[in-house]
Amino acid sequence: MARKVKVHVYLKPGVLDVQGKAVEGALHSLGWPGVANARVGKMIEFDLADDVADPEAEVKRMCETLLANTVIESYRVEVA
Amino acid sequence: MARKVKVHVYLKPGVLDVQGKAVEGALHSLGWPGVANARVGKMIEFDLADDVADPEAEVKRMCETLLANTVIESYRVEVA
């Protein structure tokens, strides 16, 4: 069985989240004024072969290389 | 204190996930052949005012109205 990997990628605090602002504005217009601080992030899920040694470190390398733009984004890795 | 709400939006199984395919292809090219079944989803987080009655139902209505395209997407709601 392959391992299930989940990567959450979200903008660092302080970076303007235009997509989040758009969602918040739309929810306000639709009649939900109680919504605040909306942020939109990405979630990448995949299966990783069992023969990969040290999967956590390997997935971290994937994030640094491809999955996250570490200048403005943070990530969190879950390997199950 | 406002409630923290997390909404995960992902494509329904069977719907072709082109973004996931692109991520998978890129990871293969970068030297990680052990990656399979990559899927990319969205995560929307926001604060919800305490005076909202039945927050779970209310957030579900937000998903149906705006946050998810229920023809091709599923969602999961977490209210903390």
Side-chain angles (χ1 to χ4, degrees):
Chain A
M1 269 297 286
R3 292 185 198 88
K4 293 268 172 210
V5 176
K6 276 189 194 181
V7 177
H8 299 257
V9 179
Y10 42 92
L11 285 168
K12 289 184 177 169
V15 178
L16 178 67
D17 183 350
V18 283
Q19 218 186 333
K21 286 277 169 233
V23 164
E24 194 176 313
L27 287 173
H28 289 177
S29 323
L30 288 167
W32 286 290
V35 173
N37 304 322
R39 311 279 292 173
V40 178
K42 251 184 316 185
M43 195 173 34
I44 302 143
E45 295 179 317
F46 55 87
D47 298 337
L48 188 62
D50 277 327
D51 58 3
V52 175
D54 200 350
E56 303 251 355
E58 213 57 37
V59 174
K60 257 184 111 165
R61 284 215 303 129
M62 291 179 199
C63 290
E64 300 280 339
T65 318
L66 180 80
L67 302 176
N69 174 357
T70 51
V71 177
I72 55 167
E73 292 172 329
S74 299
Y75 57 86
R76 203 176 70 236
V77 170
E78 284 173 47
V79 179
Chain B
M1 266 298 288
R3 291 185 198 88
K4 293 267 171 209
V5 176
K6 275 189 195 184
V7 177
H8 298 258
V9 179
Y10 42 94
L11 285 167
K12 289 185 176 167
V15 177
L16 178 66
D17 182 349
V18 282
Q19 218 186 335
K21 286 278 170 233
V23 164
E24 194 176 314
L27 287 173
H28 289 176
S29 322
L30 288 167
W32 285 291
V35 172
N37 304 321
R39 313 278 291 170
V40 178
K42 250 184 317 185
M43 196 173 34
I44 302 143
E45 295 179 318
F46 54 86
D47 297 338
L48 188 62
D50 277 328
D51 58 2
V52 175
D54 200 350
E56 303 250 354
E58 214 54 38
V59 174
K60 256 182 111 166
R61 284 215 302 128
M62 291 179 200
C63 291
E64 301 280 338
T65 318
L66 179 79
L67 302 177
N69 174 356
T70 52
V71 177
I72 53 166
E73 291 172 330
S74 299
Y75 57 86
R76 205 176 70 236
V77 171
E78 285 172 46
V79 179

